[in-house]
Amino acid sequence: MKKGNTVMSIAAVSIEKLKKRLAKKDAPTQRIINELDSLGVPPEEIIDIIEELTAEGYLNDKRYVEESFYSNQRKGKSMNLLKLTLEHEGISPSIIDEVCQELGSTESDYDNAVSLATSYLSKELDKSEMSENWNLDKAINRIMGKLIRRGYDEETAVAAIRDAGENLKK
């Protein structure tokens, strides 16, 4: 690709594209490293690019973790599931733990589980009025499965279902 009379390197083109994309949506540093590597950018240039993007504020793993936390919280997913996902994306466990502590994830994680369980239980109770084959034990198992698939452990799911039942009695 030519720019004026000079030939632009793959890295220069990559940086501009990355800046545009990262300005719209954050990405973890490791994902960018992998992308640059797959484009054939030499390791020395990858380091320079990552340092430049980080210095200019385009790359920030802590910010990425914070945004992921809020996004997953709105979707009702647990912190355990988010932590695993972020670690798989190459985010440092220390960054993940720091953000979790700052945002008080344990309390909000349990609150999310109770909110979801309340919603699921309410829907199940609505079904019970319409179906003579409805079974409470099966309904609780279905709710339990839904919570576990969202990453909540069994202990949290059981407690959330119990609290959801209490909430609906009020």
Side-chain angles (χ1 to χ4, degrees):
M1 203 179 266
K2 289 190 177 191
K3 187 174 186 178
N5 291 333
T6 62
V7 177
M8 292 178 63
S9 71
I10 295 172
V13 172
S14 298
I15 291 174
E16 292 311 309
K17 286 183 179 179
L18 285 171
K19 285 180 179 180
K20 287 180 183 177
R21 193 175 85 219
L22 291 169
K24 294 177 185 174
K25 185 175 180 184
D26 277 331
T29 302
Q30 188 60 48
R31 183 184 306 157
I32 301 304
I33 291 171
N34 293 344
E35 286 179 23
L36 292 169
D37 186 48
S38 70
L39 290 172
V41 177
E44 305 81 35
E45 284 189 50
I46 291 175
I47 292 169
D48 292 340
I49 292 169
I50 295 300
E51 287 175 352
E52 180 181 335
L53 291 172
T54 302
E56 292 180 12
Y58 288 101
L59 274 180
N60 184 329
D61 282 348
K62 184 176 178 184
R63 184 178 63 219
Y64 179 78
V65 171
E66 289 170 350
E67 289 178 7
S68 295
F69 174 81
Y70 290 122
S71 173
N72 281 290
Q73 189 178 37
R74 282 190 311 273
K75 295 175 185 173
K77 295 183 180 175
S78 76
M79 268 319 289
N80 292 334
L81 184 61
L82 177 59
K83 284 179 181 181
L84 290 173
T85 302
L86 291 170
E87 285 177 12
H88 181 71
E89 291 182 356
I91 304 288
S92 164
S94 63
I95 293 174
I96 298 168
D97 291 340
E98 179 185 342
V99 171
C100 288
Q101 283 182 331
E102 288 175 7
L103 300 176
S105 64
T106 307
E107 298 83 21
S108 63
D109 205 31
Y110 182 73
D111 292 341
N112 277 344
V114 172
S115 177
L116 278 171
T118 302
S119 173
Y120 294 150
L121 186 57
S122 177
K123 290 175 184 174
E124 285 290 342
L125 291 173
D126 289 344
K127 287 180 190 176
S128 73
E129 295 171 4
M130 293 185 261
S131 173
E132 58 190 54
N133 295 332
W134 185 84
N135 181 302
L136 178 61
D137 291 334
K138 288 182 180 179
I140 290 174
N141 285 337
R142 281 191 295 274
I143 295 169
M144 185 82 141
K146 289 177 181 180
L147 292 173
I148 289 172
R149 281 189 295 280
R150 289 187 179 261
Y152 297 100
D153 60 54
E154 188 174 340
E155 182 181 331
T156 301
V158 168
I161 293 169
R162 182 185 59 246
D163 286 355
E166 293 298 319
N167 288 346
L168 291 175
K169 285 181 184 177
K170 293 177 184 177

